[in-house]
Amino acid sequence: MQSWQLPEHIADILPTTARQLESAREKLLALFRVHGYELVQPPLMEYSNSLLTYIDAGLSLKTIRVVDQLSGRQLGIRADITPQVARIDAHLLSANNGINRLCYAGSVLHARPDGLLSTREPLQIGAELYGHADVAADIELIDLMLKSMAVADIGEVLLSLGHIGVFRALAEAAKLNEQQSLQLLSLMQDKDADAVAEQVRVWQLDGMWAKALTLLPSLYGSREVLAEARAKLPELSAVSKALDELEAVCNAFAEQAVHIDLSELRVDNYHTGLLYAAYGKDCHDAVARGGRYDGLGAHFGRSRPATGFSFDLRTFIGRLPAIERLPVVMVAQQDAEAAAEAVEKLRAAGQSVIIDYGVEHNGSKEVAGRLKNADGVWQVVQD
């Protein structure tokens, strides 16, 4: 193996793509800012317990760990920024008992890729809202997520909705233990209705709960699914509340294409309620995911209602608008010292100025002119 080769699923980003990504990042952060979301920048590495690897098996498998040579304690390289932002809200911003709107943009590192074509170094961008338990907060975040999708050419966006609360209410009523719930969750995620039916039969659940859990994988489709769910699922207050929240979101986005799936439970273990995702045209997987995760801050000393979304900006590579390299002004090497003041004025005004050493350079095709002295005045002259 050559010494310069990179690990699998790790790649350099070259100038043309880097310009696209950075421009998109700037637009997204500007979008978040005008909606009241303040930028935070958590560290790339923390003590592994702070990254909540001990409460989420999937997150734990993704997290790369090393030993801190200063303290001897185990460090983790973040695989998800959301727990870090929850820590910031719960600890560093605890003086604010009201709403905190926070956003972020930074690289995360995965010990293993999510898929065959996935990178192990996503550029995670997202927004989180803490301190408001009403579905209105979820609607605000969904609106911001959909607006974020406009940075790339992904065509018509499909909003996918689910609610982990429906499954958890049924599992609790059926008196499933934690291991049984996790096992059934896995079958639900695989959309294996026959396997779900067989499993509840083996457990000999009460007929009402067995029927309800077996029904979940079939409750998907357009907005009419909600009426079907109300008619067929048991009358539990938690189920009714979940369906009410889903209906409120549907009403808030009356013109938006919506898909509802009550067995769409592909979430991190810390999610607690409404789930939402955005799918783009010709995209085989969601390009953005989010949901409610009330109480996550309790692990840092302050339990708070919370909702938010995130996505990997690198997913949009190939769909982002082209960002051309800035045209450059050349100044001959022998003139650079004498023209220094003029060069700095041009650069301060946003003009790219480079020194011409007499050899070809990577901006040769974008030369806007040359800085030359005409009657004691440095001026940009067209070639």
Side-chain angles (χ1 to χ4, degrees):
M1 178 182 292
Q2 299 292 334
S3 61
W4 48 264
Q5 288 184 328
L6 295 175
E8 292 184 47
H9 298 274
I10 297 291
D12 293 309
I13 297 179
L14 300 182
T16 298
T17 304
R19 285 198 298 272
Q20 290 177 303
L21 288 174
E22 185 58 24
S23 175
R25 177 183 176 277
E26 291 172 356
K27 290 178 181 177
L28 286 164
L29 292 180
L31 173 68
F32 296 165
R33 183 167 57 250
V34 297
H35 283 75
Y37 289 78
E38 295 290 336
L39 180 66
V40 292
Q41 296 180 329
L44 181 63
M45 186 162 53
E46 297 192 38
Y47 293 121
S48 58
N49 282 348
S50 295
L51 297 174
L52 303 186
T53 55
Y54 61 95
I55 69 165
D56 191 314
L59 187 59
S60 180
L61 287 174
K62 288 182 180 181
T63 302
I64 296 174
R65 297 170 174 81
V66 296
V67 175
D68 184 7
Q69 295 188 21
L70 295 180
S71 68
R73 295 174 61 185
Q74 186 182 75
L75 299 174
I77 300 174
R78 67 185 182 199
D80 182 5
I81 299 179
T82 301
Q84 294 184 295
V85 183
R87 172 182 56 75
I88 289 174
D89 170 74
H91 182 56
L92 299 179
L93 299 180
S94 60
N96 179 18
N97 291 319
I99 291 175
N100 275 330
R101 290 179 172 87
L102 304 174
C103 64
Y104 52 86
S107 292
V108 297
L109 196 62
H110 293 171
R112 57 186 70 184
D114 287 334
L116 186 62
L117 301 179
S118 301
T119 177
R120 292 167 59 194
E121 190 187 1
L123 176 51
Q124 186 179 350
I125 291 183
E128 318 288 337
L129 188 152
Y130 299 92
H132 193 49
D134 191 82
V135 69
D138 300 286
I139 291 171
E140 177 179 324
L141 267 296
I142 292 171
D143 178 65
L144 189 57
M145 178 182 73
L146 293 175
K147 289 175 179 176
S148 299
M149 297 299 98
V151 302
D153 181 20
I154 61 174
E156 184 179 353
V157 175
L158 175 68
L159 174 61
S160 177
L161 300 173
H163 204 299
I164 190 69
V166 175
F167 172 81
R168 289 183 175 164
L170 294 175
E172 182 179 355
K175 298 182 179 179
L176 298 183
N177 60 39
E178 184 176 357
Q179 183 177 356
Q180 288 174 318
S181 293
L182 290 175
Q183 185 177 349
L184 206 55
L185 267 175
S186 178
L187 296 177
M188 295 279 186
Q189 290 170 4
D190 292 336
K191 301 296 183 188
D192 195 339
D194 291 337
V196 171
E198 174 61 19
Q199 190 60 70
V200 298
R201 185 192 67 80
V202 170
W203 288 337
Q204 298 181 338
L205 299 184
D206 180 277
M208 175 190 296
W209 311 121
K211 181 180 178 181
L213 290 167
T214 303
L215 180 65
L216 274 189
S218 67
L219 290 175
Y220 64 89
S222 59
R223 300 165 190 257
E224 288 73 21
V225 166
L226 295 179
E228 182 182 359
R230 291 186 190 278
K232 294 182 178 180
L233 291 178
E235 293 185 6
L236 295 173
S237 60
V239 171
S240 296
K241 181 176 183 294
L243 296 177
D244 288 345
E245 290 178 352
L246 287 166
E247 187 169 1
V249 174
C250 288
N251 292 339
F253 299 95
E255 304 302 318
Q256 174 68 45
V258 171
H259 177 81
I260 297 172
D261 189 345
L262 296 186
S263 66
E264 176 51 67
L265 306 172
R266 301 186 184 198
V267 295
D268 296 302
N269 287 350
Y270 54 72
H271 280 101
T272 59
L274 187 72
L275 307 172
Y276 40 90
Y279 287 79
K281 184 179 180 181
D282 302 325
C283 298
H284 70 280
D285 198 5
V287 292
R289 290 187 183 275
R292 182 159 285 277
Y293 54 99
D294 295 344
L296 185 63
H299 297 280
F300 305 109
R302 184 165 75 143
S303 179
R304 298 255 281 168
T307 183
F309 71 90
S310 67
F311 57 93
D312 175 12
L313 188 56
R314 290 196 186 196
T315 303
F316 293 157
I317 289 177
R319 297 176 180 268
L320 295 173
I323 306 296
E324 299 298 327
R325 178 188 170 100
L326 287 175
V328 301
V329 168
M330 306 280 286
V331 58
Q333 181 181 5
Q334 62 270 23
D335 293 335
E337 184 176 352
E341 184 177 347
V343 168
E344 292 310 313
K345 285 184 178 179
L346 287 170
R347 287 173 174 167
Q351 174 64 58
S352 175
V353 182
I354 63 174
I355 298 174
D356 183 6
Y357 295 112
V359 295
E360 187 176 0
H361 59 91
N362 61 348
S364 296
K365 297 180 181 180
E366 295 87 17
V367 175
R370 292 183 175 274
L371 190 61
K372 294 185 177 181
N373 191 311
D375 299 325
V377 179
W378 290 100
Q379 299 178 353
V380 177
V381 179
Q382 301 293 324
D383 279 345

